[in-house]
């Protein structure tokens, strides 16, 4: 099963935040802002016999203007990727729909953010995409394209089981809390 860590790609350009003249320059690469791209590539690999390279995903994002804001707008890139690879795409903010998709063998790209009180989120400062791989009851297996040493300390160590890296595990309610500031929490991908 494919896992891509965006930190491995500091030299792969990803022009984003187009509506603000692509600033800041140090954030114009996959390592800094490519979590959505890495997540989309992993979903394609998991659900189809095909693959989507990061280079091709960058091109799709730019071509379809999913890069107009900081990072990637999955509401734009998701349907493009799904159509190109023959997948069913939908989105929801309902935890039960997300769990049902995973139980049917689908994949979900979750959009975590800062906390409802405005403090830094468990997984990010502003916004971040990760791939939900499966659910056993309410225990979620996921892949974080920004996985790193911070999983061995503090709150991440307490709330996320990282004993089987790159597979990570947490409770669905934790993801619910970490997505409260998002209009759309879950992007669902399934085989047709």
């Amino acid at each position: 099963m494919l896992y891509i860590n965006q930190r491995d790609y500091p030299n792969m350009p990803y022009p984003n935040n187009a509506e603000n003249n692509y600033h800041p320059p140090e954030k114009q690469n996959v390592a800094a802002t490519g979590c959505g791209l890495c997540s989309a590539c992993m979903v394609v690999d998991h659900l189809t016999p095909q693959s989507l390279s990061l280079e091709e995903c960058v091109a799709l994002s730019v071509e379809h203007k999913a890069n107009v804001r900081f990072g990637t707008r999955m509401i734009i890139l998701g349907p493009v990727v799904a159509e190109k690879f023959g997948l069913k795409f939908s989105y929801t903010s309902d935890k039960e729909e997300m769990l049902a998709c995973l139980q049917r063998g689908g994949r979900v790209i979750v959009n975590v953010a800062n906390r409802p009180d405005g403090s830094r989120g468990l997984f990010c400062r502003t916004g971040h995409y990760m791939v939900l791989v499966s659910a056993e009851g309410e225990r979620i297996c996921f892949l974080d394209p920004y996985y790193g040493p911070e999983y061995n300390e503090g709150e991440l160590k307490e709330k996320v089981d990282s004993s089987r890296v790159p597979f990570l595990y947490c409770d669905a309610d934790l993801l619910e809390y970490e997505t409260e500031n998002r209009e759309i929490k879950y992007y669902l991908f399934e085989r047709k």
Side-chain angles (χ1 to χ4, degrees):
M1 182 176 294
L2 179 68
Y3 170 70
I4 302 172
N5 192 311
Q6 70 190 82
R7 294 180 192 223
D8 294 338
Y9 299 92
N11 298 318
M12 183 179 289
Y14 179 42
N16 64 88
N17 206 15
E19 67 184 9
N20 294 309
N21 296 320
Y22 301 102
H23 294 293
E26 66 274 7
K27 300 291 186 183
Q28 301 300 312
N29 60 69
V30 171
T33 58
C35 56
L37 304 172
C38 295
S39 295
C41 292
M42 288 188 274
V43 164
V44 169
D45 180 82
H46 297 181
L47 296 178
T48 77
Q50 300 169 309
S51 64
L52 173 63
S53 71
L54 275 173
E55 294 86 356
E56 185 180 7
C57 201
V58 167
L60 283 174
S61 181
V62 170
E63 177 186 352
H64 294 278
K65 299 186 180 354
N67 66 328
V68 295
R69 294 187 185 154
F70 192 71
T72 305
R73 297 199 63 215
M74 196 56 64
I75 192 70
I76 296 172
L77 184 63
V80 169
V81 168
E83 182 178 335
K84 181 174 179 65
F85 292 93
L87 296 170
K88 185 171 115 180
F89 172 82
S90 60
Y91 54 89
T92 187
S93 289
D94 183 85
K95 180 176 84 170
E96 298 307 318
E97 285 182 47
M98 173 269 289
L99 289 169
C101 174
L102 292 173
Q103 290 162 354
R104 290 189 300 267
R107 293 293 183 273
V108 175
I109 296 179
V110 62
N111 188 8
V112 294
N114 54 334
R115 297 260 172 88
D117 65 4
S119 64
R120 184 189 193 285
L122 181 62
F123 300 101
C124 65
R125 286 189 180 91
T126 54
H128 182 54
Y129 294 113
M130 303 184 300
V131 178
L132 308 185
V133 176
S134 64
E136 185 176 318
E138 296 235 342
R139 183 172 164 87
I140 305 292
C141 174
F142 68 99
L143 298 169
D144 182 351
Y146 202 75
Y147 174 81
E150 53 278 332
Y151 272 90
N152 296 317
E153 51 196 52
E155 196 176 3
L156 270 171
K157 183 177 182 178
E158 293 170 17
K159 295 186 175 182
V160 177
D161 176 358
S162 61
S163 62
R164 294 182 214 137
V165 171
F167 300 104
L168 305 166
Y169 299 85
C170 74
D171 189 78
D173 285 338
L174 176 64
L175 294 176
E176 276 289 289
Y177 181 68
E178 295 295 326
T179 57
E180 278 190 30
N181 280 348
R182 290 302 194 206
E183 186 176 328
I184 300 171
K185 297 178 179 187
Y186 309 110
Y187 298 89
L188 285 54
F189 295 82
E190 298 181 77
R191 295 179 183 97
K192 288 185 178 179

